[in-house]
Amino acid sequence: MGNSGGSLTTRSTGELHQLMRAVGFTGMDDTEALAENWQVTEFAEAGPRSLANFVRRTGTPAVMVCFHDSDVGFIEALTPDGGSWEGLLNREMAESYEIPLEHFPLEPAVAGALAWSAAAGLTPDEEAIRHTLTGSALFAEELSSALMVALGVPGARI
């Protein structure tokens, strides 16, 4: 059985686990420091408004990917000014779970990812974002890592 938790990628100078706990994330695991104060933390569960509360409380952009058995990744991203987007990783596998792909249209996800990245002060790679959102991998976590690189998150690697 694969991972059914998630990951949160954000820029933070505070104690990330404490901040995440305060807004409803549970089971925080490893935090990896990337570059320029960007970090990624794994978690077991997130409450229904955990990401929105986190972004509002910290004033920083964040991307959350929730994994379904390491097969599919559900992306939600927010900026402090209210910009948001959603996406899906491993679309082929999502179809086998009968997840309705029409709920995760590609073009709005690409446009949202580009806008999120720009609002976060990053330099995205549109082609790489599109490839990540349409690609497939054995583990959705691989696509999540590739997405962070495509969004231009400093220090992110595949």
Side-chain angles (χ1 to χ4, degrees), residues 15-38:
E15 207 302 297
L16 200 52
H17 288 197
Q18 183 179 1
L19 290 167
M20 290 174 70
R21 243 187 316 279
V23 296
F25 288 92
T26 62
M28 276 70 67
D29 202 0
D30 299 333
T31 293
E32 180 184 357
L34 301 175
E36 299 175 26
N37 294 324
W38 283 87

Side-chain angles (χ1 to χ4, degrees), residues 3-5 23 42 44 55 72-73 129 133 136 139:
N3 182 13
S4 290
V23 296
E42 296 175 10
V55 170
V72 178
I129 290 170
L133 295 175
S136 61
F139 300 107

Side-chain angles (χ1 to χ4, degrees), residues 86 91 99-105:
E86 294 180 340
R91 295 175 79 83
I99 295 169
L101 298 184
E102 65 272 10
H103 291 179
F104 301 94

Side-chain angles (χ1 to χ4, degrees), residues 1 28 42 62 67 76 84 86 91-92 100 117 127 139:
M1 179 167 269
M28 276 70 67
E42 296 175 10
F67 300 106
E76 185 178 353
S84 67
E86 294 180 340
R91 295 175 79 83
E92 238 176 76
S117 181
E127 184 177 326
F139 300 107

Side-chain angles (χ1 to χ4, degrees), residues 81-139:
D81 67 359
S84 67
W85 67 280
E86 294 180 340
L88 185 65
L89 297 173
N90 237 3
R91 295 175 79 83
E92 238 176 76
M93 187 60 77
E95 280 187 300
S96 72
Y97 281 101
E98 298 181 5
I99 295 169
L101 298 184
E102 65 272 10
H103 291 179
F104 301 94
L106 179 62
E107 293 310 317
V110 171
L114 292 169
W116 180 92
S117 181
L122 305 176
T123 304
D125 178 336
E126 181 175 354
E127 184 177 326
I129 290 170
R130 186 176 303 281
H131 179 72
T132 301
L133 295 175
T134 58
S136 61
L138 182 57
F139 300 107

